[in-house]
Amino acid sequence: MASRRRRAALCLALFLAVPAAGQTRRIVAISHRGEHLHHPENTIPAFQEAIRVGADFIEVDVQTTSDGKLVLSHDGTVNRCTNGTGKVSEMTFDRIEVLDAGIKTGPEFAGTKIPTFDQVLDLARGKIGVYVDVKNASAQDLVSHIDGHGMTDHVVMYCGLRLARQIQELNPRLKVMPESNTVENSRLLIEQLHPRVVAFGARDFTPEIIAVVKQANAEIYVDRMGATDAPEGWQSAIDAGADGIQTDRPGPLVEYLRQKGYK
């Protein structure tokens, strides 16, 4: 019986993933931490390169300093990516601002700063969408900054259920993007949030969960990094129903999507 249900879910997901005759699917390319294989991650140079190669979104990690400033850092500390040490949440913005976030990538990036969320929103406006991975920030701060920069319709917010509810209460127009995780969790998220887009990782990108999200008419943005971050993996994700792909290789992904008519 379980096997039969899995086959039925797979057939449904594949059916829903196929566009109607005459329609062309559009797949969005999401540049993970900007173009960070050759540029310092989560910095303006990485985001500028993602814009240059034609990505649709830059993925950014937002943290809050001890004095309430929103800055970009994937890690909770500055140790890995800068010439400093310490927890972002325990550092003032003045301490963050003097750090060098580029020197570890290469001497040509020496002097690159950790950007503020405001700087990134300014850079992105009119050029590219922003996929916000909320590491440590309040709903009020996020919404006020995004709305204040005129980016309300050009942002997706990757966050948990509680924060997603708070964001929706403040501005229902903002796209919250919860993680699917399981069939049961996806149904709960759909019931409570009615999201327009749902995030998937490699582990939960399964036919059963895909079918639940497709039935709710939500888009699917999938993380296909690692060994699957290549043409075969991209096409596999598209065939299974992905509407957006997060990548470490935005240039090659954009070129692939253009060649295949997805962009």
Side-chain angles (χ1 to χ4, degrees), residues 193-262:
L193 297 174
H194 307 289
R196 288 173 283 170
V197 59
V198 175
F200 280 73
R203 286 180 297 181
D204 52 1
F205 195 60
T206 65
E208 296 89 347
I209 306 176
I210 291 168
V212 170
V213 174
K214 288 290 184 180
Q215 284 176 321
N217 294 316
E219 293 188 321
I220 289 174
Y221 286 1
V222 63
D223 177 347
R224 300 292 286 182
M225 295 180 296
T228 62
D229 198 7
E232 184 177 349
W234 300 333
Q235 191 60 55
S236 174
I238 293 167
D239 291 343
D243 301 289
I245 299 172
Q246 184 177 168
T247 181
D248 285 332
R249 305 172 60 214
L253 174 58
V254 168
E255 182 60 28
Y256 181 82
L257 295 177
R258 284 174 176 160
Q259 289 176 354
K260 296 293 184 177
Y262 295 120

Side-chain angles (χ1 to χ4, degrees), residues 72-247:
L72 268 55
S73 174
H74 174 271
D75 300 354
T77 74
V78 299
N79 303 10
R80 179 174 60 88
C81 294
T82 79
N83 61 343
T85 60
K87 293 182 178 180
V88 176
S89 62
E90 296 176 358
M91 302 173 73
T92 64
F93 178 66
D94 286 345
R95 286 182 62 199
I96 294 280
E97 193 175 26
V98 299
L99 298 177
D100 191 325
I103 190 62
K104 288 187 174 180
T105 302
E108 68 273 28
F109 295 110
T112 300
K113 302 299 182 183
I114 291 178
T116 65
F117 191 37
D118 286 329
Q119 288 172 328
V120 173
L121 291 170
D122 275 340
L123 173 71
R125 187 171 58 243
K127 302 183 188 75
I128 197 166
V130 181
Y131 174 128
V132 180
D133 187 339
V134 184
K135 299 297 187 185
N136 175 30
S138 72
Q140 182 62 60
D141 283 344
L142 292 164
V143 172
S144 63
H145 283 262
I146 292 167
D147 289 351
H149 285 271
M151 289 290 286
T152 303
D153 297 321
H154 307 284
V155 168
V156 293
M157 311 274 282
Y158 176 67
C159 56
L161 177 59
R162 181 179 177 184
L163 185 60
R165 281 196 196 118
Q166 294 171 347
I167 291 169
Q168 286 187 332
E169 288 172 2
L170 292 167
N171 187 346
R173 283 175 55 198
L174 276 168
K175 282 186 180 180
V176 295
M177 181 173 55
E179 176 78 34
S180 59
N181 290 319
T182 65
V183 167
E184 294 74 19
N185 188 64
S186 295
R187 286 174 176 155
L188 175 66
L189 295 171
I190 289 164
E191 178 184 346
Q192 297 199 15
L193 297 174
H194 307 289
R196 288 173 283 170
V197 59
V198 175
F200 280 73
R203 286 180 297 181
D204 52 1
F205 195 60
T206 65
E208 296 89 347
I209 306 176
I210 291 168
V212 170
V213 174
K214 288 290 184 180
Q215 284 176 321
N217 294 316
E219 293 188 321
I220 289 174
Y221 286 1
V222 63
D223 177 347
R224 300 292 286 182
M225 295 180 296
T228 62
D229 198 7
E232 184 177 349
W234 300 333
Q235 191 60 55
S236 174
I238 293 167
D239 291 343
D243 301 289
I245 299 172
Q246 184 177 168
T247 181

Side-chain angles (χ1 to χ4, degrees), residues 10-33:
L10 175 60
C11 291
L12 176 60
L14 293 175
F15 173 77
L16 290 169
V18 176
Q23 290 182 337
T24 301
R25 290 179 63 196
R26 184 175 185 276
I27 310 299
V28 301
I30 303 157
S31 186
H32 182 232
R33 307 181 201 174

